[in-house]
Amino acid sequence: MDIGMIGLGRMGGNMAERLRRGGHNVVGYDRDPQISDVAGLEELVERLPAPRAVWVMVPAGDPTRQTIHRLGELLEPGDVVVDGGNSHYVDDQKHGEELAAKGIGFVDCGVSGGVWGLENGYALMVGGDEEHVKRLMPIFETLKPEGEYGFVHAGKVGAGHFVKMVHNGIEYGMMQAFGEGYELIAASGLVTNVPETFRSWKEGTVIRSWLLDLMVRAMDDDPELSGIRGYAQDSGEGRWTVQAAVDHAVPLPVITAALYARFASRQDDSPAMRVVAALRNQFGGHAVESAKGADSAGADVEAPSV
């Protein structure tokens, strides 16, 4: 099958390569001319036979919006666009309506697999009309892992990125649980071999998983993880998951706490915890640590610890 791939970065480039290995003809465009097959979107569209299929793999937000808007100007009725980035599902609904008005199909596809996807395949979560999804199945079949699992047509336009958003929210909670468990085990003073403890869980336990495998792999390189700063970014899906939970009145305490933990990781000196320390000092006389690291005693009062 012929397909255009816009965005040949770490994910898009590997996906294009997997498709080529699967026998598909991929015309790739990237702003970096050294890895691009064409000079621009116009040439990409010209190189593809009608009806065309174009996969967009650029950062979410304005880059995706601008790319899809431009494709709407260049493509023809009967063509179809796939957004495989991490777009917000609300944007998908707008893009679907915009392209449908011109007779152009739209499919949103949440993609998971990271740098391992080239060899192992990508989990694909798709939203869109049945006719458009069916037409793209040769592409999906090549990108997904071999076997029964790794692909779902989740529902209408927006459904693919919605379930990918929730998938990433679940991922936040699972990673946070591993991190907290690690910290407690390391702090216990009882466990002298933390990496081997986690390695032992790779078989026979209910928490065995790919994330556990990756954690063990990280500790193989750095057993105490001393070379890594405890700072975690978020790519947006966690925030959108929590916002969707508010919109639908669905309680998500674990995922919400995991998101807030990432925010806390970015503060060398948390303003909120400074307030907590100051209040404990005021009502209980508990010692506080100065900005320079020295302890200072509070008022001479007897009070229970809080």
Side-chain angles (χ1 to χ4, degrees):
M1 181 173 175
D2 293 279
I3 189 166
M5 179 70 72
I6 300 173
L8 301 175
R10 187 165 48 187
M11 283 283 283
N14 281 346
M15 292 170 72
E17 177 60 24
R18 186 173 173 89
L19 289 171
R20 288 185 174 116
R21 292 180 185 179
H24 300 282
N25 176 44
V26 181
V27 180
Y29 168 70
D30 194 273
R31 288 184 300 176
D32 181 352
Q34 302 210 351
I35 60 174
S36 185
D37 299 321
V38 293
L41 296 184
E42 296 86 347
E43 185 180 351
L44 180 140
V45 170
E46 290 172 0
R47 291 258 305 262
L48 293 170
R52 303 170 186 84
V54 180
W55 190 299
V56 179
M57 205 69 188
V58 301
D62 286 339
T64 294
R65 295 186 195 106
Q66 293 167 7
T67 301
I68 290 177
H69 179 75
R70 182 59 178 147
L71 287 173
E73 297 174 334
L74 295 171
L75 294 175
E76 300 173 343
D79 295 343
V80 64
V81 174
V82 181
D83 179 3
N86 283 326
S87 293
H88 196 192
Y89 69 95
V90 174
D91 284 347
D92 293 327
Q93 295 166 338
K94 295 175 183 176
H95 295 152
E97 292 174 1
E98 175 186 341
L99 294 177
K102 301 181 179 183
I104 302 168
F106 178 79
V107 170
D108 59 290
C109 182
V111 180
S112 184
V115 296
W116 305 90
L118 174 59
E119 300 300 331
N120 299 336
Y122 300 89
L124 307 174
M125 293 146 266
V126 171
D129 292 346
E130 181 67 32
E131 62 172 305
H132 299 139
V133 174
K134 185 176 180 181
R135 177 180 153 199
L136 291 163
M137 280 309 299
I139 296 297
F140 297 142
E141 289 287 353
T142 301
L143 288 174
K144 68 179 285 294
E146 292 184 11
E148 182 180 356
Y149 305 112
F151 172 86
V152 62
H153 180 190
K156 57 187 178 181
V157 168
H161 280 142
F162 190 91
V163 295
K164 175 57 162 55
M165 173 189 76
V166 176
H167 165 282
N168 282 26
I170 293 170
E171 181 183 293
Y172 276 43
M174 292 174 66
M175 287 193 288
Q176 185 66 23
F178 275 121
E180 291 175 7
Y182 172 90
E183 183 171 358
L184 179 58
I185 289 172
S188 70
L190 297 172
V191 182
T192 57
N193 199 335
V194 178
E196 284 305 312
T197 298
F198 280 87
R199 187 186 308 279
S200 75
W201 292 348
K202 283 166 61 73
E203 294 292 343
T205 69
V206 297
I207 64 167
R208 63 189 185 273
S209 63
W210 188 43
L211 283 176
L212 176 61
D213 293 343
L214 293 177
M215 184 174 178
V216 170
R217 185 172 181 267
M219 287 189 289
D220 284 342
D221 296 333
D222 184 356
E224 297 181 356
L225 303 179
S226 57
I228 301 173
R229 181 185 169 200
Y231 179 106
Q233 269 291 4
D234 68 287
S235 58
E237 292 92 343
R239 301 185 191 207
W240 296 339
T241 304
V242 172
Q243 183 59 58
V246 173
D247 294 342
H248 294 279
V250 175
L252 298 184
V254 171
I255 293 173
T256 302
L259 174 65
Y260 287 173
R262 295 199 182 192
F263 295 162
S265 78
R266 301 167 203 168
Q267 298 177 322
D268 292 330
D269 183 19
S270 166
M273 294 314 296
R274 289 204 301 271
V275 172
V276 171
L279 288 173
R280 292 180 78 247
N281 174 255
Q282 290 297 315
F283 71 69
H286 303 291
V288 295
E289 186 174 304
S290 72
K292 294 182 179 179
D295 286 343
S296 60
D300 186 14
V301 242
E302 292 283 337
S305 180
V306 177

